[in-house]
Amino acid sequence: IWDRLTMPGDAQRYLQIAGEGYVTEGENAINLVFYPLYPFLMRIFSFGVVDLAAVGMAISRLCLMGAGVCLFELARTEGGEKAAWSSVALFAVYPFSMFTVGVYTESLFLLLSMGCMLAIRKDRMAAAGVIGFLAALTRVQGMLLVFPAVYHVVEGRLGKERKNITWRDGAVLLIPMGFAVYLGINHALYGNAFQFLAYEAGEPWYQSTKWIGENIFVQFHNALSFEGLGMIIYWPQIILYFLAAWVLFAGIRSKVRMEYLLYGAVYLGFTYLSGWMISGGRYMLCCFPLFLIMGTLKNEKVKLIALAGSAVFFFLYSHMFLLGYAIM
């Protein structure tokens, strides 16, 4: 279990950054594509002595608990305590949630993105700006939090309530500044703010940006062409896209707050613009409005079916992950 949560794929990349920082030469130069906050925290709390992997695991698990508390509070204010428990339960047994306890950024990003949304919900825009800034230093999707933040400010200040605009509202502009800091790191190391794009386009990621429909078609073709990987990677990504779209439409019908719907929609769209995606299940774990919306649905049978189905696939994919299958 320890090896599977600390050795594969991205986990080793974060450990390398925590240990030696970003480098400009050698095979580890491509680690530039990974954002700095999580490995920076590992480096700080290791005190130069403690095992970095152990620190990374501890950070992930503490952040996971904090994310659960934030999700509970968000769902409770939206649909009551019963809805809150349903949302957290669905989150806990999401089929790819094994990544929340390993050396990965999922738990830290979930805590920060949920914390930012909670601050928005409570109209604490200065706090939302700072937390969103940190989220954007953790993953590129963090900068998407600017959309619900700006919507909240515009709707609250120019809508029915007509609140006065204050300096705290301007703090929402801190959110995309997290991405700007990352670009600054690129420029400081390479003299090119977008050097990370060159590394993403090459081995082993081969990333590009294509229209969502084209990407879904390619994944469908891959699912038919590669039977084994189809069941592990491609079919789950295809199904998750349409399930997420359905949940968002259900949220509209249930009159869920627009901030949640907006973030869920831009997160879904941004994620599926990826031209060569093999970690869609893990990426969609961080689209937390889906759990919140599902928890607030009035149809208890739908929630029960979703919970039972998620639990079955969580057990299946966790077991396959520990056996070394290509779940990433």
Side-chain angles (χ1 to χ4, degrees):
I1 292 173
W2 179 271
D3 288 346
R4 289 298 295 156
L5 292 174
T6 60
M7 295 297 291
D10 293 357
Q12 276 298 299
R13 301 291 183 183
Y14 286 115
L15 289 171
Q16 289 165 2
I17 298 170
E20 62 185 17
Y22 292 115
V23 296
T24 57
E25 296 180 354
E27 61 182 12
N28 290 342
I30 61 175
N31 290 346
L32 180 69
V33 304
F34 296 94
Y35 283 59
L37 184 60
Y38 181 60
F40 178 70
L41 292 176
M42 279 196 286
R43 182 66 173 266
I44 289 178
F45 292 112
S46 70
F47 303 107
V49 178
V50 181
D51 179 27
L52 285 171
V55 174
M57 297 267 276
I59 291 172
S60 291
R61 294 170 189 220
L62 289 171
C63 289
L64 176 61
M65 290 189 283
V69 172
C70 288
L71 178 60
F72 186 91
E73 182 64 15
L74 286 167
R76 187 187 66 79
T77 56
E78 188 68 23
E81 190 164 315
K82 186 176 181 180
W85 284 116
S86 296
S87 296
V88 173
L90 287 164
F91 170 61
V93 296
Y94 177 75
F96 297 91
S97 62
M98 74 284 289
F99 292 102
T100 59
V101 295
V103 183
Y104 294 86
T105 60
E106 270 63 30
S107 289
L108 175 61
F109 182 73
L110 281 163
L111 173 61
L112 292 171
S113 57
M114 289 184 194
C116 178
M117 191 66 78
L118 189 59
I120 293 171
R121 179 70 177 82
K122 295 184 177 182
D123 200 35
R124 297 176 180 174
M125 303 315 297
V130 173
I131 299 171
F133 170 83
L134 295 175
L137 273 177
T138 305
R139 298 182 70 159
V140 64
Q141 292 92 338
M143 65 178 178
L144 302 178
L145 289 162
V146 73
F147 289 96
V150 169
Y151 172 85
H152 179 85
V153 170
V154 173
E155 192 274 337
R157 280 40 173 180
L158 302 180
K160 295 180 180 179
E161 297 183 13
R162 294 282 182 174
K163 296 180 180 179
N164 293 327
I165 295 178
T166 68
W167 66 269
R168 292 181 178 84
D169 297 327
V172 300
L173 298 178
L174 287 173
I175 297 174
M177 289 302 297
F179 180 62
V181 169
Y182 173 68
L183 296 181
I185 294 173
N186 278 252
H187 187 273
L189 292 174
Y190 290 92
N192 176 11
F194 296 95
Q195 176 64 32
F196 71 98
L197 293 176
Y199 284 141
E200 285 183 349
E203 187 181 354
W205 297 293
Y206 307 106
Q207 278 295 356
S208 61
T209 300
K210 299 178 182 178
W211 291 112
I212 294 173
E214 183 179 355
N215 287 332
I216 294 293
F217 178 80
V218 170
Q219 291 180 38
F220 179 72
H221 178 269
N222 289 339
L224 296 178
S225 301
F226 307 101
E227 183 176 349
L229 292 178
M231 296 302 296
I232 297 173
I233 295 175
Y234 298 115
W235 284 120
Q237 291 180 162
I238 296 170
I239 293 169
L240 277 172
Y241 176 78
F242 292 103
L243 278 178
W246 177 84
V247 171
L248 291 172
F249 278 113
I252 294 173
R253 294 184 60 186
S254 301
K255 297 182 179 180
V256 173
R257 289 182 67 89
M258 183 55 68
E259 290 91 334
Y260 306 144
L261 296 171
L262 183 58
Y263 180 66
V266 296
Y267 187 101
L268 175 64
F270 185 87
T271 298
Y272 278 83
L273 286 173
S274 174
W276 195 68
M277 184 165 64
I278 57 175
S279 302
R282 176 159 65 95
Y283 295 159
M284 290 306 295
L285 165 64
C286 293
C287 191
F288 67 86
L290 301 179
F291 305 111
L292 190 153
I293 294 168
M294 284 297 297
T296 58
L297 293 180
K298 302 300 181 183
N299 193 322
E300 295 297 328
K301 289 184 179 179
V302 170
K303 289 197 288 187
L304 185 60
I305 291 171
L307 185 63
S310 292
V312 169
F313 282 104
F314 170 65
F315 173 80
L316 175 64
Y317 283 119
S318 295
H319 181 65
M320 295 175 71
F321 175 77
L322 292 177
L323 290 179
Y325 282 79
I327 296 173
M328 55 190 113

